[in-house]
Tab-separated table of all heavy atoms in Angstrom:
chain	number	residue	atom	x	y	z
A	1446	LEU	N	95.679	94.990	64.766
A	1446	LEU	CA	94.835	94.136	65.601
A	1446	LEU	C	93.440	93.977	65.004
A	1446	LEU	O	92.827	94.943	64.552
A	1446	LEU	CB	94.712	94.760	66.995
A	1446	LEU	CG	93.770	94.045	67.969
A	1446	LEU	CD1	94.465	92.836	68.561
A	1446	LEU	CD2	93.314	94.993	69.065
A	1447	GLN	N	92.941	92.762	64.993
A	1447	GLN	CA	91.524	92.504	64.733
A	1447	GLN	C	90.928	91.874	65.993
A	1447	GLN	O	91.332	90.788	66.412
A	1447	GLN	CB	91.351	91.552	63.551
A	1447	GLN	CG	91.744	92.135	62.213
A	1447	GLN	CD	91.444	91.171	61.084
A	1447	GLN	OE1	90.321	90.685	60.952
A	1447	GLN	NE2	92.450	90.891	60.263
A	1448	PHE	N	90.004	92.603	66.640
A	1448	PHE	CA	89.346	92.125	67.857
A	1448	PHE	C	88.186	91.235	67.433
A	1448	PHE	O	87.289	91.657	66.713
A	1448	PHE	CB	88.853	93.336	68.659
A	1448	PHE	CG	88.325	92.993	70.016
A	1448	PHE	CD1	89.202	92.664	71.053
A	1448	PHE	CD2	86.969	93.019	70.284
A	1448	PHE	CE1	88.730	92.366	72.314
A	1448	PHE	CE2	86.485	92.718	71.547
A	1448	PHE	CZ	87.371	92.393	72.565
A	1449	LEU	N	88.171	89.969	67.850
A	1449	LEU	CA	87.325	88.973	67.207
A	1449	LEU	C	86.215	88.330	68.037
A	1449	LEU	O	85.444	87.542	67.478
A	1449	LEU	CB	88.205	87.861	66.640
A	1449	LEU	CG	89.126	88.295	65.495
A	1449	LEU	CD1	90.095	87.181	65.167
A	1449	LEU	CD2	88.293	88.649	64.259
A	1450	PRO	N	86.127	88.567	69.358
A	1450	PRO	CA	85.045	87.889	70.074
A	1450	PRO	C	83.676	88.191	69.455
A	1450	PRO	O	83.421	89.305	69.010
A	1450	PRO	CB	85.135	88.479	71.487
A	1450	PRO	CG	86.557	88.891	71.619
A	1450	PRO	CD	86.953	89.379	70.251
A	1451	ASN	N	82.811	87.167	69.433
A	1451	ASN	CA	81.483	87.353	68.851
A	1451	ASN	C	80.477	86.544	69.640
A	1451	ASN	O	80.810	85.904	70.647
A	1451	ASN	CB	81.484	86.937	67.377
A	1451	ASN	CG	81.978	85.507	67.196
A	1451	ASN	OD1	81.387	84.572	67.730
A	1451	ASN	ND2	83.064	85.338	66.448
A	1452	VAL	N	79.252	86.559	69.194
A	1452	VAL	CA	78.183	85.891	69.942
A	1452	VAL	C	78.375	84.383	69.984
A	1452	VAL	O	77.801	83.701	70.828
A	1452	VAL	CB	76.801	86.225	69.331
A	1452	VAL	CG1	76.485	87.685	69.514
A	1452	VAL	CG2	76.744	85.831	67.862
A	1453	PHE	N	79.178	83.841	69.066
A	1453	PHE	CA	79.375	82.395	69.017
A	1453	PHE	C	80.530	81.943	69.921
A	1453	PHE	O	80.486	80.879	70.518
A	1453	PHE	CB	79.638	81.954	67.572
A	1453	PHE	CG	78.526	82.332	66.639
A	1453	PHE	CD1	78.696	83.350	65.710
A	1453	PHE	CD2	77.293	81.693	66.701
A	1453	PHE	CE1	77.668	83.704	64.857
A	1453	PHE	CE2	76.261	82.043	65.839
A	1453	PHE	CZ	76.441	83.063	64.919
A	1454	SER	N	81.568	82.765	70.017
A	1454	SER	CA	82.728	82.372	70.824
A	1454	SER	C	83.545	83.599	71.195
A	1454	SER	O	83.717	84.513	70.390
A	1454	SER	CB	83.619	81.393	70.058
A	1454	SER	OG	84.780	81.105	70.795
A	1455	GLU	N	84.006	83.585	72.434
A	1455	GLU	CA	84.890	84.659	72.893
A	1455	GLU	C	86.279	84.100	73.198
A	1455	GLU	O	87.094	84.771	73.817
A	1455	GLU	CB	84.292	85.322	74.137
A	1455	GLU	CG	83.002	86.068	73.840
A	1455	GLU	CD	82.204	86.410	75.087
A	1455	GLU	OE1	82.542	85.871	76.157
A	1455	GLU	OE2	81.244	87.192	74.992
A	1456	LYS	N	86.532	82.881	72.755
A	1456	LYS	CA	87.823	82.258	73.051
A	1456	LYS	C	88.932	82.794	72.164
A	1456	LYS	O	90.082	82.892	72.594
A	1456	LYS	CB	87.725	80.738	72.917
A	1456	LYS	CG	86.869	80.107	74.015
A	1456	LYS	CD	86.891	78.600	73.957
A	1456	LYS	CE	86.080	78.011	75.116
A	1456	LYS	NZ	86.086	76.535	75.096
A	1457	LEU	N	88.627	83.136	70.924
A	1457	LEU	CA	89.616	83.794	70.079
A	1457	LEU	C	89.460	85.289	70.305
A	1457	LEU	O	88.502	85.906	69.856
A	1457	LEU	CB	89.406	83.445	68.607
A	1457	LEU	CG	90.350	84.132	67.610
A	1457	LEU	CD1	91.808	83.902	67.965
A	1457	LEU	CD2	90.058	83.659	66.194
A	1458	VAL	N	90.394	85.851	71.034
A	1458	VAL	CA	90.294	87.250	71.455
A	1458	VAL	C	90.677	88.190	70.318
A	1458	VAL	O	89.987	89.173	70.035
A	1458	VAL	CB	91.193	87.500	72.686
A	1458	VAL	CG1	91.170	88.969	73.086
A	1458	VAL	CG2	90.763	86.610	73.847
A	1459	ALA	N	91.787	87.897	69.661
A	1459	ALA	CA	92.281	88.816	68.634
A	1459	ALA	C	93.236	88.080	67.708
A	1459	ALA	O	93.852	87.074	68.085
A	1459	ALA	CB	92.984	90.003	69.282
Side-chain angles (χ1 to χ4, degrees):
L1446 176 79
Q1447 291 184 53
F1448 188 75
L1449 294 171
N1451 55 60
V1452 293
F1453 302 108
S1454 175
E1455 293 165 348
K1456 291 186 177 180
L1457 177 54
V1458 176

